[in-house]
Amino acid sequence: MTVPALTAETRWRCTLCGNLTRFDVTRTARVTEFLHFDLAGESKVEETEVLSETIESVRCRWCNAVDQVELVARPGAGGTEAPAEQG
């Protein structure tokens, strides 16, 4: 099962517990990286280009549910803002 990708206007939400902030994500990515080696042979990635990426699964860190994720609008996205919390 492929999980929906995030956008600038959306975020993930666990449908079982409501978690919005903590997820374990398993993904496959194909990338091209520019590596810079210093004279001692230590490398540093200076540029990364993502050629393709697939999110395979998302597990909720709060309730341990697997693949129970939906996309919801981020607060402020599309001109609507979530109401302030009481408390």
Side-chain angles (χ1 to χ4, degrees):
M1 175 179 150
T2 302
V3 178
L6 300 174
T7 67
E9 294 83 27
T10 60
R11 63 182 177 175
W12 287 327
R13 178 184 175 278
C14 177
T15 59
L16 295 181
C17 72
N19 171 30
L20 294 167
T21 60
R22 303 285 193 269
F23 301 96
D24 288 314
V25 180
T26 302
R27 64 187 176 101
T28 300
R30 208 170 143 254
V31 299
T32 299
E33 294 178 330
F34 169 65
L35 299 177
H36 179 195
F37 291 85
D38 64 19
L39 295 177
E42 297 293 322
S43 68
K44 177 181 176 183
V45 177
E46 291 193 354
E47 293 176 16
T48 301
E49 177 185 1
V50 178
L51 304 174
S52 65
E53 181 178 47
T54 303
I55 300 170
E56 297 172 14
S57 69
V58 178
R59 181 175 60 86
C60 177
R61 270 287 175 113
W62 288 0
C63 71
N64 216 27
V66 178
D67 296 330
Q68 296 295 318
V69 172
E70 66 180 354
L71 281 180
V72 295
R74 288 186 190 208
T80 60
E81 190 143 339
E85 281 189 29
Q86 298 287 329

